[in-house]
Structure formats: C-alpha cells, structure tokens
Amino acid sequence: MATAEQPQIEHSHLAIRGLNLHVAQAGTGELGTVLFLHGFPEIWYSWRHQMLALAAAGYRAIAPDWRGYGLSDQPPEPEAASYQDLQEDLLAILDALSVPKAFLVAKDFGARPAYDFALHHPDRTCGVMCLGVPFVHGGTSFASLPEGFYVLRWQEPGRAEADFVRYDVKRVVRTIYILFSRSEIPIASEDQEIMDLADLSTPLPEWFTEEDLGVYASLYEKSGFGYPMEMPYRSLHKRQPIEYPKFQVPVFVVMGEKDYVLKFPGIEAVLKDGVMAKFAPDLKVTYIPDGSHFVQEQFPDMVNELLLSFLKDHPVA
C-alpha cells in the first residue's frame, strides 16, 4: 500500500483520440502536476526516479507512453505519424485527467512536442524543462553529417527494421542504450549497420542494470520498433515550426556535458550564443559534468534536485 513516505507508481489506460494510451502516475499533486515525456529508446519507466521524488515532495507525476510505444495502442497508420498528433494527445491527456495546467518535463524527441505545446497552449503550461535538447527554431540540419549518421540511416524506410531483425529486442535496446550513452555521435561506416557499432562484449553503462534492460525489452517486445522509427525519425520533416515563436512560460534546459547531442550541428551555439534566449525570455541553462544523453537515469538525485528547484521557483498560483 502506498503511504505519504513511500509513494507508489500506479498504471492505467486512457481513451485518447481513438487510442488507449498507457499512463503511469504517482502522487496527489497538492503543489501541482508534472507531465513527463519520454524519448527513444525510452518509455514511461525512464522517469521512475523523478516520479517518485516529485510524488514524495507533494506533486502529481504523470508519465504516458507515447502512442505506438510501450503499453499504449499502435496507431492504425504508423507512416502517418506527426508531431501534431503528439501535441493533441497531450492536450487530451490533461483534459481526461482534469488537469488545468501542468509543468512539462521532456527529453530527446519528447522535447519537441513539449516546446510546441508550451508555445501553442501557454494557458495550460506552467513551465518546460527539457533534458538534452534545446529549442531550435526551424529544426536542425544534418546535411553536414556523414551518410552513416544514425538518424539518416533510420530515416530510410525499412533500413532500421532490417538491421534490428537480426537480433532479439533485448539486444537491440541494449545496443542503442550503449551507443546513446557515449559522447560521440553514432555513425556507421559504409559496410556497417548501426547495430554493428557495439556487441555483447560492450558493457552496459554502470547506472543501467540488467533489470532495467529487461523492463525496456519487455515493453518494446510489445510495441516493436515500427512506430518508433516513424516517430521521431521519419517524421522530422513534418514538424511545422511557428513563424515567430515566443515562450510565455519559464524554460529550463539541462544538458549533460558528455551528451553526444551537443555535437549536432548548431546545438552548442543555440545554447551558448544566446540564440535560444531570443525565443525564451525566461530561460535557464544548466550543464551536468560527465552527464550523458540519459542524465535522469545516470544522475537521478542531481536531476531531481534541479527539477524540484525549478518547480519551487515557479509555484502554481
């Protein structure tokens, strides 16, 4: 039984826009509601440390599995995936749970719908905290990166699927977690596929256990990798940027100093040359030394402290 000292994560499904979406929740929310948005190869479970910490501090923590991910339903037409769908799903989730306003905490591709939601629905947003991905107006160009860059490879219809099918789901998730934990951008040579960049002799990150891997593998065994390749990778060109974006809510970006995303074209300049601040007047940027692309799992206590400080600095009226 859950107690005030020991919050518990509870699971349910919500009927959202014709699909049953899985939602994990913890806490009662006296101080406000926080909606956690995962990336790839993640799932609601990616936020387990943050959910329990926030629930214990008096917040309501909600972490859905995106459509097509984990325990949520698969969309009938995966190839029609769009970021607009994710944004509309978020609004419907808040409505279904009777949440008037929420903080959005996102990472990886989850940052894109989080930023877009905050821009389109400032009246439903208390603030945005994104891990590993700053706001880039108009998106990021990968034209300068080699053909073997993992995003370019996975954008090719069927290529990732043919690569992944050589191994079981657990091996695929394991490899991607290892590659994305490194400070170098995953790039394959012409005679390699992305799965060839690590093998079973490569150890898991020390903060990621075999038990964690088992949870991820079981969820991706249900969902498969078809929709996750469509969203985000094959849908990047569909995102419709706002012509003159201006955030009306506080924005907090947390970057691991060893996150490979910092090496994407233009990302460091967006953060350090004041580019993002033009769109987000109330912007804070923090770097975590030794932090990887998965800082919320690698350094959960540090991320929890940063998150709680952000929430306390912006109390819900």
Side-chain angles (χ1 to χ4, degrees):
M1 179 180 293
T3 68
E5 293 75 28
Q6 296 177 310
Q8 183 172 307
I9 296 175
E10 299 178 348
H11 300 267
S12 62
H13 280 80
L14 299 176
I16 301 294
R17 304 178 60 238
L19 299 173
N20 287 317
L21 301 189
H22 169 254
V23 174
Q25 297 188 68
T28 55
E30 302 93 343
L31 298 180
T33 298
V34 181
L35 190 59
F36 289 94
L37 309 175
H38 68 79
F40 177 80
E42 297 167 299
I43 219 72
W44 76 266
Y45 183 79
S46 310
W47 300 109
R48 60 199 178 281
H49 304 299
Q50 288 68 48
M51 293 180 72
L52 293 173
L54 263 61
Y59 294 88
R60 182 184 187 184
I62 302 170
D65 287 341
W66 289 118
R67 56 170 53 209
Y69 278 81
L71 300 176
S72 289
D73 283 354
Q74 295 289 314
E77 298 180 74
E79 65 281 358
S82 73
Y83 282 92
Q84 183 65 32
D85 272 333
L86 304 190
Q87 195 181 141
E88 291 177 10
D89 286 351
L90 295 182
L91 185 61
I93 288 170
L94 293 182
D95 288 344
L97 295 174
S98 301
V99 176
K101 295 182 74 171
F103 290 93
L104 304 180
V105 179
K107 76 172 300 287
D108 193 68
F109 83 83
R112 294 174 183 269
Y115 287 135
D116 289 348
F117 186 91
L119 288 167
H120 284 101
H121 303 285
D123 58 318
R124 304 296 297 272
T125 310
C126 300
V128 182
M129 176 177 174
C130 287
L131 311 181
V133 178
F135 176 76
V136 181
H137 185 223
T140 303
S141 172
F142 299 129
S144 63
L145 291 169
E147 171 275 335
F149 172 46
Y150 78 96
V151 173
L152 297 179
R153 287 285 183 89
W154 290 352
Q155 284 180 336
E156 295 181 36
R159 183 150 190 176
E161 290 87 337
D163 184 13
F164 296 170
V165 77
R166 297 181 294 156
Y167 306 104
D168 61 29
V169 169
K170 188 173 183 180
R171 171 78 177 268
V172 173
V173 175
R174 184 183 195 277
T175 300
I176 296 172
Y177 240 86
I178 289 169
L179 296 179
F180 285 9
S181 297
R182 295 173 175 172
S183 60
E184 298 300 321
I185 298 173
I187 297 174
S189 60
E190 287 186 15
D191 61 348
Q192 286 181 313
E193 295 299 331
I194 300 301
M195 287 296 104
D196 298 329
L197 296 177
D199 59 32
L200 288 175
S201 68
T202 310
L204 285 169
E206 60 183 19
W207 42 265
F208 191 70
T209 68
E210 287 289 340
E211 182 181 357
D212 294 330
L213 176 60
V215 173
Y216 281 98
S218 68
L219 294 171
Y220 276 95
E221 281 170 359
K222 178 188 178 300
S223 68
F225 295 103
Y227 184 82
M229 290 299 101
E230 297 294 338
M231 173 57 66
Y233 303 104
R234 296 169 192 160
S235 301
L236 289 171
H237 67 286
K238 300 178 186 176
R239 187 173 179 231
Q240 299 296 319
I242 298 174
E243 190 171 2
Y244 300 108
K246 183 74 74 172
F247 287 94
Q248 299 176 44
V249 299
V251 179
F252 185 20
V253 178
V254 177
M255 296 292 303
E257 288 186 348
K258 294 186 177 179
D259 188 336
Y260 70 88
V261 171
L262 278 173
K263 295 179 178 176
F264 281 11
I267 293 297
E268 199 153 15
V270 164
L271 291 166
K272 295 188 174 179
D273 294 350
V275 177
M276 185 173 171
K278 295 176 183 177
F279 306 109
D282 187 353
L283 172 66
K284 179 181 178 181
V285 179
T286 294
Y287 292 86
I288 296 181
D290 296 319
S292 71
H293 191 57
F294 302 104
V295 286
Q296 86 284 10
E297 293 181 282
Q298 182 185 11
F299 297 117
D301 292 343
M302 193 178 303
V303 171
N304 293 348
E305 185 177 336
L306 290 170
L307 174 52
L308 283 167
S309 177
F310 177 65
L311 297 177
K312 290 173 182 173
D313 286 347
H314 304 284
V316 179

